Amino acid sequence: MNTIKDYIGEHKERFLDELKELLKIPSISADPAYKSDMLKTAEAVKERLMEAGCDLAEVCSTPGQPVVYGEKIINKDLPTVLVYGHYDVQPPDPLDLWDSPPFEPVIKETKIHPEGAIFARGACDDKGQMYMHVKALEYMTKNDELPCNVKFMIEGEEEVGSEHLDWFIKEYKDRLANDVILISDTGMIAKDVPSITTGLRGLSYVEVEVTGANRDLHSGLYGGAVANPLNVLSKMIGSLTDENNHITIPGFYDKVEQLSNEEREKMAEAPFSLDEYREKLDIDAVYGEEGYSTLERGSIRPTLDVNGMWGGYIGEGAKTVLPSKAYAKISMRLVPDQDWKEITELFKNHFESIAPKGVRVKVKPHHGGFPYVTPIDTTGYQAASKAYEATFGKTPIPQRSGGSIPIVSLFEKELESKIILMGFGLDTDAIHSPNENFGVWNYFKGIETIPWFYKYFTKLSE
């Protein structure tokens, strides 16, 4: 297995060029205008899987965006690893905050990545991390190092809630049979501090609409006499948390898992500098729920955040109007044992109940997913830990993540196998933000580490 470093060194420019070509395609699942680019990306992933050594790869139609399936079966008596990833990306807006065009990937040196980082939408989330697995497969097949069977399920709707993946899994359940599911769509603590994600938060995403008068009104003639939907919406949102940043929706915390003091103390042992955290974000103070640390607020506690808010006039200059409508998009990150469907209903009932007279309120649910926690005593986790030890020279730290992969809990339920989250991103990669990037070192380190997982998982499964 030592030849993996040599193989990467020999092919690194090609590995980077192939990823850049994938990043050039604007596979934005949230916008129907990019439907053809979604299909183009799926076809490209299928071709790369075949080139990497899959015996079968195909673009599978769904009621939504297609799923790319691939497989390399060497012996049906051996274990099977199912790799999950996604080829869709977040919208790149706001475009004016990018230092380079989001779909024209460039490699630039940074303080954290002196060897360079790839800047493009999807560089880390998730094209770069997904493509590590394709290149790891290439190494294993070309060098006769693949010790077990491997399957790929690469979807195109993760960034919009994986709405049709449930359908795909049930339709192709027999084909997707596996012994462990391997995902790289998370991160690690630092380049010199490997970690394995053991928990993900769930998600409830809604859009709200507040309507006042039947048209925009002159703010001089009507201001102060008629409800302003933007003012009302601001007050309604403001009331959703109290002075301790505790969410005020009745029943919201009823099923929240309470970690013991021992578990919280163990979490606090993870390397973390509050000063560095503030410096990276260019903020002078942190903010959040009273009684919890920054690490806890970002992983084991639920949240409610406004992701966007609009209404009225936002063009150049001034226009004095009371808008007829105001809107907001709101996400709630959830923790065990919250049910995203229950939380969505609680939000809807509460938000409608606090609307004052003079306005009408609509709550439109978008998508969601359940929180997930994976045990650390499974064969898969032990294999991942040994893989990191082989390439980093140290034992990885188990860590809960604040992010969400909405479909993960469904995998375990429908496919009856555990999920291993081997992420190689960093919290500075600006995923979902302008100037998203993925370190070249991290990209190659992932390709180097993944084959070791296959080796140890096969060995430990004997």
Side-chain angles (χ1 to χ4, degrees):
M1 196 73 80
N2 290 334
T3 58
I4 180 74
K5 286 187 176 180
D6 296 332
Y7 192 82
I8 292 171
E10 181 181 350
H11 299 281
K12 65 180 182 179
E13 293 303 323
R14 176 171 63 84
F15 285 5
L16 288 171
D17 288 342
E18 288 176 5
L19 177 56
K20 287 179 185 177
E21 288 303 308
L22 204 58
L23 292 169
K24 288 178 182 178
I25 312 172
S27 49
I28 304 169
S29 54
D31 190 339
Y34 293 90
K35 184 177 181 179
S36 62
D37 291 301
M38 295 294 295
L39 183 57
K40 181 179 179 181
T41 310
E43 291 287 350
V45 172
K46 182 196 79 171
E47 291 173 11
R48 299 292 88 78
L49 284 172
M50 290 299 295
E51 291 170 359
C54 279
D55 295 323
L56 168 69
E58 59 183 299
V59 176
C60 304
S61 298
T62 77
Q65 302 295 350
V67 174
V68 183
Y69 174 82
E71 66 178 31
K72 177 74 174 179
I73 307 299
I74 61 173
N75 186 331
K76 292 184 178 180
D77 294 328
L78 289 171
T80 298
V81 176
L82 173 62
V83 176
Y84 165 83
H86 63 94
Y87 63 84
D88 65 320
V89 301
Q90 284 273 318
D93 309 70
L95 294 174
D96 59 331
L97 294 183
W98 284 80
D99 294 332
S100 55
F103 296 106
E104 296 178 18
V106 294
I107 296 178
K108 295 183 283 189
E109 293 182 9
T110 70
K111 182 179 179 181
I112 295 173
H113 299 294
E115 67 289 319
I118 308 171
F119 283 76
R121 173 57 85 228
C124 178
D125 182 19
D126 178 46
K127 287 180 179 176
Q129 296 210 70
M130 173 270 290
Y131 205 63
M132 297 184 308
H133 290 271
V134 180
K135 295 296 97 180
L137 174 67
E138 177 189 312
Y139 161 74
M140 290 186 287
T141 57
K142 302 296 184 188
N143 293 275
D144 196 26
E145 291 278 4
L146 182 63
C148 63
N149 307 311
V150 59
K151 299 176 180 179
F152 288 82
M153 177 173 58
I154 312 299
E155 69 150 321
E157 294 184 331
E158 195 275 345
E159 298 294 5
V160 290
S162 301
E163 181 180 357
H164 298 102
L165 198 60
D166 185 358
W167 177 92
F168 178 82
I169 289 172
K170 291 175 180 176
E171 190 77 9
Y172 291 87
K173 187 171 182 177
D174 292 342
R175 184 186 284 195
L176 296 170
N178 67 86
D179 296 285
V180 68
I181 299 173
L182 186 58
I183 301 174
S184 294
D185 194 15
T186 53
M188 56 185 184
I189 294 173
K191 290 169 73 174
D192 59 345
V193 186
S195 57
I196 299 174
T197 300
T198 56
L200 296 166
R201 289 196 286 194
L203 175 68
S204 169
Y205 196 100
V206 300
E207 182 175 326
V208 298
E209 173 188 306
V210 176
T211 302
N214 59 5
R215 64 185 188 279
D216 287 358
L217 302 175
H218 189 291
S219 66
L221 297 178
Y222 293 96
V226 176
N228 180 331
L230 269 175
N231 291 357
V232 170
L233 178 57
S234 299
K235 289 180 180 179
M236 292 174 68
I237 290 173
S239 75
L240 296 177
T241 54
D242 63 18
E243 67 277 5
N244 294 315
N245 293 311
H246 194 84
I247 296 164
T248 59
I249 299 170
F252 187 87
Y253 291 98
D254 286 357
K255 293 186 178 180
V256 169
E257 174 193 44
Q258 299 295 331
L259 268 65
S260 66
N261 289 334
E262 290 76 16
E263 289 174 302
R264 293 177 68 182
E265 289 169 4
K266 190 69 177 175
M267 280 189 66
E269 293 176 6
F272 178 75
S273 167
L274 191 58
D275 289 338
E276 289 183 8
Y277 183 84
R278 290 194 297 255
E279 182 181 352
K280 287 176 183 176
L281 298 175
D282 194 20
I283 56 175
D284 59 8
V286 292
Y287 185 86
E289 186 181 3
E290 194 72 23
Y292 294 91
S293 69
T294 297
L295 283 179
E296 290 172 333
R297 291 167 179 166
S299 59
I300 65 168
R301 297 299 294 169
T303 62
L304 185 152
D305 287 292
V306 178
N307 304 131
M309 189 171 174
W310 67 100
Y313 180 70
I314 56 173
E316 291 293 329
K319 183 181 181 184
T320 52
V321 296
L322 305 184
S324 172
K325 293 179 178 290
Y327 304 85
K329 293 180 185 287
I330 297 171
S331 65
M332 291 161 280
R333 299 286 176 169
L334 311 177
V335 300
D337 294 303
Q338 290 178 298
D339 181 318
W340 74 269
K341 295 179 181 178
E342 290 180 3
I343 293 297
T344 301
E345 190 65 20
L346 288 174
F347 177 92
K348 181 177 184 296
N349 293 339
H350 177 68
F351 204 74
E352 290 173 348
S353 74
I354 62 174
K357 292 182 178 180
V359 298
R360 299 178 299 282
V361 170
K362 284 184 183 178
V363 177
K364 177 184 177 183
H366 275 285
H367 62 270
F370 291 94
Y372 180 78
V373 176
T374 184
I376 62 174
D377 59 354
T378 64
T379 300
Y381 184 90
Q382 293 168 11
S385 182
K386 287 181 176 294
Y388 280 101
E389 290 170 20
T391 57
F392 284 82
K394 57 182 70 174
T395 302
I397 297 171
Q399 183 189 43
R400 290 203 190 188
S401 168
S404 305
I405 305 178
I407 207 69
V408 162
S409 59
L410 178 72
F411 290 162
E412 184 165 314
K413 177 184 175 183
E414 294 292 337
L415 300 178
E416 300 178 350
S417 50
K418 293 296 181 183
I419 291 90
I420 303 300
L421 299 160
M422 290 180 65
F424 293 86
L426 299 176
D427 63 3
T428 53
D429 290 342
I431 61 173
H432 293 208
S433 302
N435 300 313
E436 178 180 351
N437 64 93
F438 190 37
V440 171
W441 183 91
N442 299 66
Y443 176 52
F444 291 144
K445 202 67 175 177
I447 298 171
E448 178 188 347
T449 305
I450 289 165
W452 287 95
F453 173 83
Y454 284 79
K455 175 183 177 181
Y456 285 119
F457 183 74
T458 304
K459 185 175 182 181
L460 291 170
S461 299
E462 292 176 351

